[in-house]
Amino acid sequence: MEPKDHWDRVYTTKPPDSVSWFQAHAERSLRLIRETGVSKSAPLIDVGGGASTLVDDLLRDGYTNLTVLDISEAALEAARKRVGPQFARVRWLQADVTTAIFSPSAYEVWHDRAVFHFLTAPEQRLAYVQAVIRAVKPGGHVIVATFAEDGPTQCSGLPTRRYSPAALHAEFGPPFELIGQELEDHQTPFGTIQRFSYCYCRKALS
């Protein structure tokens, strides 16, 4: 099954708040975005944002230049319905991040919680990092969260790749200065714990 078909099936057969990675509020992501210090008008992309509630909190917080990218149109539609009339203030982009064509230096903040760990093939990860290098402005901010070393080996029927924060930063390499790293114990809607690694980097100025 193609990835898009897989994720469309997930979001058409399960309520968004019943998937394991659901957060009523993406508090850690929102805090890390705030701590970048970018202006509320800075261009920001949430990769794999799909049905995530992060966009709701960003809108509520006053951010005005938001893009949500997801491979699943069903996930994006769920978010648009939830956001309501404010959906028009967001750019909704259905695409596979590893093949999408991004404009150079399009974003000041790149955020991804729970996409990168599904990229189990080296060529997928290389394509992702090249997309970040192209799409993020020099001096821009990159916040990526994956399953930690003791996190799940599978999610939604797919294999995952687990990382320590240091190993996650190593995937991005010298073009990105490590600013911060954190671990999070995420409680799923059905009461289990998933541990996430967060890596916050800044793209080199040149």
Side-chain angles (χ1 to χ4, degrees):
M1 182 181 292
E2 292 295 316
K4 181 183 184 305
D5 295 333
H6 173 86
W7 291 111
D8 277 339
R9 186 178 67 176
V10 168
Y11 282 103
T12 54
T13 58
K14 296 181 179 181
D17 61 358
S18 70
V19 295
S20 67
W21 54 92
F22 174 77
Q23 295 175 300
H25 296 282
E27 294 176 358
R28 188 175 302 258
S29 294
L30 185 60
R31 172 176 60 77
L32 289 170
I33 290 169
R34 287 169 174 162
E35 288 177 358
T36 66
V38 300
S39 72
K40 295 298 177 67
S41 61
L44 185 156
I45 185 168
D46 184 18
V47 173
S52 166
T53 61
L54 178 60
V55 67
D56 307 60
D57 289 329
L58 289 168
L59 287 167
R60 194 175 298 113
D61 216 40
Y63 290 89
T64 61
N65 195 347
L66 302 175
T67 298
V68 176
L69 178 149
D70 202 279
I71 198 169
S72 170
E73 179 61 35
L76 294 172
E77 181 60 21
R80 286 192 290 260
K81 288 181 178 178
R82 188 190 64 242
V83 169
Q86 292 194 90
F87 85 92
R89 297 172 54 195
V90 179
R91 183 185 180 212
W92 306 92
L93 181 60
Q94 187 278 311
D96 181 335
V97 65
T98 65
T99 58
I101 305 300
F102 294 98
S103 299
S105 300
Y107 303 106
E108 202 163 333
V109 178
W110 175 289
H111 173 269
D112 161 15
R113 178 182 178 272
V115 171
F116 193 75
H117 60 217
F118 286 111
L119 306 182
T120 56
E123 59 270 22
Q124 292 176 308
R125 298 194 296 277
L126 177 61
Y128 182 105
V129 173
Q130 290 300 315
V132 177
I133 290 172
R134 177 180 175 85
V136 176
K137 297 179 178 182
H141 309 267
V142 179
I143 300 164
V144 176
T146 67
F147 286 146
E149 292 173 289
D150 55 353
T153 58
Q154 284 197 331
C155 182
S156 190
L158 298 177
T160 62
R161 187 175 173 88
R162 301 177 296 175
Y163 295 91
S164 68
L168 182 54
H169 174 243
E171 291 283 345
F172 291 83
F176 298 91
E177 176 190 2
L178 180 62
I179 303 298
Q181 50 189 356
E182 302 181 14
L183 293 172
E184 176 186 50
D185 287 334
H186 164 63
Q187 184 168 318
T188 70
F190 30 91
T192 59
I193 297 296
Q194 293 177 340
R195 178 163 284 192
F196 278 78
S197 290
Y198 281 75
C199 183
Y200 164 35
C201 305
R202 193 160 191 184
K203 185 181 175 186
L205 291 171
S206 60

